[in-house]
Amino acid sequence: MSIKQQQVVDARNNGWSYGQINKEFGVAKSTAQGWVKKYYEGVSITEPVGYVNDNLQKVKPSKFKKTEEEILKFLQELAPITLPKPVKPSVKTLLSDYAVVFSDLHFPMQCEKSITILLETIRQLKPSTIIINGDSCDILALSKYPKDIMKNYNLLEERVEYQKFLSNLLEVSGGAKIYETNANHSSGGPESRLRRYLSERIPELGCLPEVMEALSYENIFLGEFKDDIEMVDYVDLNGLYVMHGTTVRKNPASSVLGEVERFRASVMMGHVHRMGSVCMRQPSIGEREEKQLFGYEIGCMCDMNPVYASSPNWTNGFAVIALGENTFGVELVPIVDGEATIAALGKTIKA
């Protein structure tokens, strides 16, 4: 190496820029770079960039090379994969029974399109259980709430309309067990509209069993179908308690949440005419085991524009429940403009 080349290399190593080297030694930048590169070729050296302090230098890393063993290992990771035949897990598949639950028909203010879809669903699905979840009849003639003065509401009309429906229901039910739950409008329980009316108007006769039997909800409203329908407070479907419900809160699913919290059980309810669901986990503590709780509001089957409410936040619909040995699966079926898609059937039904 010549003296000038050594001077350039030494100057560069001392932190000089190629501009300074050019000015001091008259060596072009590209030439100086070539000399430095050749001198340090294959050697890890301090290579300053721009103007740097004498004691601040960057180390140029040496070129990394993988060994043959490392390359082979890498290629093996990219080789085609041959997996052993998976072991099929042992499972038990059971055919589900079905239950259909609907609520709040409020005869004579029923929604005929919703009823048509409901009956066709029952005819095709062939459920083992059918639950009329309360307020089947409105008993509007006995109501204290304001009514349309242009229309005459009477109990005979309600009875006729409801019993026509029951006749159609029994025809498509295929022998299913049919329940009706007690509720605040229908039924003969102390909370019902009929029972309250009789208690106020004929309290003296209410103590006579034969009078109350003759004027019972079953005799008056179920009529010839009273032996085909069992009146109950609730139905237990594998731990899902179907009841009409009493809690009323503002938002969808908030009412049934109140029932779930009250009973500490899974609940399906009507009453609020809305549709929604909620789930909550009850953690284990002490000897109490962990529990998953579910709540469902199943909508209504009545006219969405009744005489006693203005633009209510209601939803037409019903529920289909698949029943296993000890489990249940719920499908909420909304009805919109006379049309509903039922997943359990894999069909859409239009009325």
Side-chain angles (χ1 to χ4, degrees):
M1 178 180 290
S2 66
I3 296 175
K4 181 169 285 191
Q5 287 176 332
Q6 186 64 54
Q7 288 175 333
V8 168
V9 171
D10 292 341
R12 183 62 179 162
N13 197 42
N14 288 328
W16 286 33
S17 69
Y18 287 109
Q20 290 176 308
I21 291 173
N22 176 260
K23 186 176 180 180
E24 178 67 24
F25 302 111
V27 177
K29 180 179 179 181
S30 59
T31 301
Q33 289 175 336
W35 290 351
V36 172
K37 181 179 179 181
K38 288 181 179 180
Y39 183 77
Y40 290 107
E41 188 174 4
V43 181
S44 178
I45 65 169
T46 299
E47 176 66 11
V49 179
Y51 291 93
V52 296
N53 295 330
D54 291 341
N55 59 350
L56 182 60
Q57 296 179 333
K58 292 187 177 180
V59 177
K60 183 178 179 180
S62 59
K63 192 172 182 180
F64 179 75
K65 293 184 179 179
K66 286 185 177 291
T67 64
E68 182 178 348
E69 182 180 350
E70 289 173 327
I71 293 173
L72 288 175
K73 183 178 179 181
F74 176 72
L75 292 176
Q76 287 173 353
E77 293 177 355
L78 301 179
I81 298 174
T82 302
L83 295 177
K85 187 176 181 179
V87 178
K88 188 176 181 180
S90 176
V91 296
K92 183 179 181 181
T93 302
L94 302 173
L95 293 177
S96 296
D97 283 332
Y98 286 102
V100 172
V101 184
F102 54 95
S103 183
D104 297 274
L105 294 115
H106 286 275
F107 283 101
M109 294 177 293
Q110 71 277 13
C111 175
E112 288 295 343
K113 287 186 176 182
S114 295
I115 289 175
T116 299
I117 292 171
L118 170 71
L119 293 176
E120 181 61 18
T121 299
I122 291 172
R123 187 187 70 80
Q124 295 191 35
L125 189 62
K126 297 178 175 57
S128 60
T129 304
I130 297 172
I131 303 174
I132 307 168
N133 196 26
D135 284 0
S136 51
C137 295
D138 191 279
I139 313 184
L140 186 61
L142 306 184
S143 172
K144 295 180 179 179
Y145 291 102
K147 296 177 279 291
D148 186 355
I149 62 174
M150 302 302 293
K151 183 172 176 59
N152 179 32
Y153 294 96
N154 60 77
L155 294 180
L156 180 59
E157 180 183 358
E158 292 192 26
R159 293 169 59 202
V160 170
E161 291 297 317
Y162 186 41
Q163 291 186 30
K164 284 181 181 177
F165 166 76
L166 292 179
S167 178
N168 292 331
L169 177 63
L170 287 169
E171 184 178 350
V172 301
S173 66
K177 176 66 176 177
I178 304 177
Y179 299 93
E180 181 173 347
T181 60
N182 294 316
N184 56 304
H185 282 257
S186 58
S187 84
E191 74 284 357
S192 69
R193 186 168 278 179
L194 175 63
R195 180 76 168 270
R196 292 197 305 269
Y197 180 85
L198 295 176
S199 298
E200 292 174 359
R201 299 304 176 93
I202 55 169
E204 297 82 6
L205 298 179
C207 62
L208 300 176
E210 60 269 29
V211 172
M212 296 308 294
E213 175 65 21
L215 296 177
S216 69
Y217 176 83
E218 290 87 341
N219 278 329
I220 295 176
F221 287 92
L222 298 184
E224 63 176 297
F225 304 104
K226 65 181 180 181
D227 294 331
D228 300 300
I229 299 170
E230 182 178 349
M231 295 296 303
V232 294
D233 289 327
Y234 64 87
V235 180
D236 180 1
L237 298 177
N238 291 349
L240 175 64
Y241 293 89
V242 180
M243 62 185 71
H244 185 69
T246 58
T247 302
V248 177
R249 293 177 179 173
K250 180 180 179 181
N251 297 313
S254 60
S255 299
V256 75
L257 176 60
E259 300 285 19
V260 170
E261 292 172 338
R262 181 155 68 106
F263 291 105
R264 289 292 165 182
S266 295
V267 173
M268 175 175 285
M269 68 175 287
H271 191 47
V272 293
H273 297 201
R274 293 192 289 259
M275 183 168 281
S277 63
V278 65
C279 59
M280 61 180 289
R281 171 177 174 264
Q282 179 178 280
S284 62
I285 184 171
E287 296 182 356
R288 189 186 72 185
E289 296 182 354
E290 177 181 325
K291 196 174 184 180
Q292 299 287 335
L293 303 176
F294 303 90
Y296 305 93
E297 295 171 7
I298 63 171
C300 63
M301 300 292 290
C302 61
D303 186 353
M304 302 288 278
N305 296 290
V307 297
Y308 49 76
S310 177
S311 302
N313 179 23
W314 295 352
T315 300
N316 282 142
F318 57 93
V320 175
I321 306 170
L323 299 170
E325 285 186 330
N326 300 296
T327 59
F328 58 84
V330 174
E331 177 190 355
L332 296 179
V333 182
I335 302 173
V336 181
D337 296 329
E339 183 174 341
T341 297
I342 300 92
L345 290 175
K347 296 179 181 179
T348 296
I349 299 176
K350 297 182 181 181

